[in-house]
Amino acid sequence: NGQKMSKSLGNVVDPFVLGERYGADAIRYHIMREMALGADSSFSNEIMINRINSDLANGLGNLVSRTVAMVEKYFGGTLPTERQVGEFDDELINCATSLREKVDKYIDETQLNNALAEIFKVVSRANKYIDETTPWVLAKDESNRAHLATVLYNLLDTIRITATLLSAFMPTVMPKALEQIGACENCATYENADKFNVLPADVTVKKGEALFRRIDVE
């Protein structure tokens, strides 16, 4: 809150307390996303909670849970193999497949905060893709079945790429995300993080607990 941490002021923050309260991966994410390496950085519970809520709970966690829930609701958990491309597909796919190169560049420059920012641009683009393609509308017409399957597959494979790259930052939670979207160990490799159509066409999802729970600021 604008003051230097010191024992005499009594404002030292215990990372073990934070880890128990919010989860170690969420704390790791906040520190690396909010604080530039080698520079003084601000910390407050409000900044941290807002970052966890916006990026992890509302952003990534919501993307995973929505996508898995729609695959279960509309296809019983397993996608059919028929495909029909749509107008918004290429932009999402290009955004996802170009991500690894950007992340590599920032990690080589030890700009971990910028690497994470790039990953979450793709998460935001995937959430926007849901709004653009309106799967709940497609599901009302059987003739859109192949198009709906394409939309959901594109979302799952985009999640695979982002979760793979995030595994280095959040090693406890990301394997759970990959498990929920049906990604096998060979699918979720660094070598496949710049490729699309890696998941099986008939991928089966597995619904699980929310990856990150929204925190009440009060």
Side-chain angles (χ1 to χ4, degrees):
N1 290 320
Q3 291 181 307
K4 288 232 174 190
M5 282 190 194
S6 74
K7 290 181 181 178
S8 58
L9 286 175
N11 64 350
V12 174
V13 178
D14 187 335
F16 291 101
V17 172
L18 292 182
E20 288 172 11
R21 184 175 295 170
Y22 305 116
D25 274 16
I27 304 307
R28 285 165 62 96
Y29 173 75
H30 168 72
I31 290 171
M32 289 185 280
R33 177 69 178 85
E34 202 69 39
M35 304 180 184
L37 263 161
D40 286 350
S41 302
S42 292
F43 175 85
S44 76
N45 277 283
E46 288 76 16
I47 293 172
M48 181 187 64
I49 291 169
N50 286 330
R51 175 65 72 185
I52 291 171
N53 283 345
S54 63
D55 290 7
L56 301 184
N58 296 347
L60 179 63
N62 192 40
L63 174 64
V64 173
S65 62
R66 286 171 83 189
T67 303
V68 170
M70 286 189 289
V71 175
E72 289 209 327
K73 181 177 181 180
Y74 303 135
F75 296 109
T78 301
L79 288 182
T81 56
E82 298 84 10
R83 296 286 182 264
Q84 180 186 331
V85 298
E87 62 174 310
F88 301 106
D89 298 350
D90 285 346
E91 187 179 343
L92 177 67
I93 293 168
N94 291 336
C95 192
T97 53
S98 63
L99 176 62
R100 194 187 79 176
E101 183 179 357
K102 297 172 186 174
V103 170
D104 281 355
K105 174 181 176 292
Y106 282 125
I107 289 180
D108 285 344
E109 296 168 354
T110 60
Q111 297 180 30
L112 304 184
N113 54 331
N114 290 329
L116 285 167
E118 289 297 332
I119 295 172
F120 276 83
K121 285 179 186 177
V122 177
V123 171
S124 296
R125 185 67 194 84
N127 276 314
K128 183 182 176 185
Y129 177 76
I130 295 176
D131 296 333
E132 291 169 336
T133 54
T134 59
W136 51 91
V137 176
L138 294 175
K140 293 178 180 177
D141 189 340
E142 186 64 24
S143 66
N144 292 325
R145 181 177 171 83
H147 185 193
L148 177 58
T150 304
V151 166
L152 295 177
Y153 181 87
N154 290 344
L155 288 167
L156 291 173
D157 221 29
T158 298
I159 293 168
R160 173 189 59 80
I161 289 172
T162 56
T164 297
L165 294 173
L166 282 170
S167 294
F169 300 92
M170 294 184 278
T172 302
V173 177
M174 286 310 104
K176 298 176 184 176
L178 290 163
E179 181 183 8
Q180 288 187 25
I181 64 165
C184 64
E185 194 172 322
N186 291 332
C187 296
T189 61
Y190 173 82
E191 288 71 25
N192 282 330
D194 63 349
K195 300 178 179 66
F196 217 75
N197 296 317
V198 170
L199 290 174
D202 59 349
V203 60
T204 298
V205 300
K206 182 182 178 183
K207 195 170 184 178
E209 292 183 359
L211 299 177
F212 301 98
R213 299 198 179 277
R214 185 171 175 79
I215 302 164
D216 187 321
V217 178
E218 292 300 322

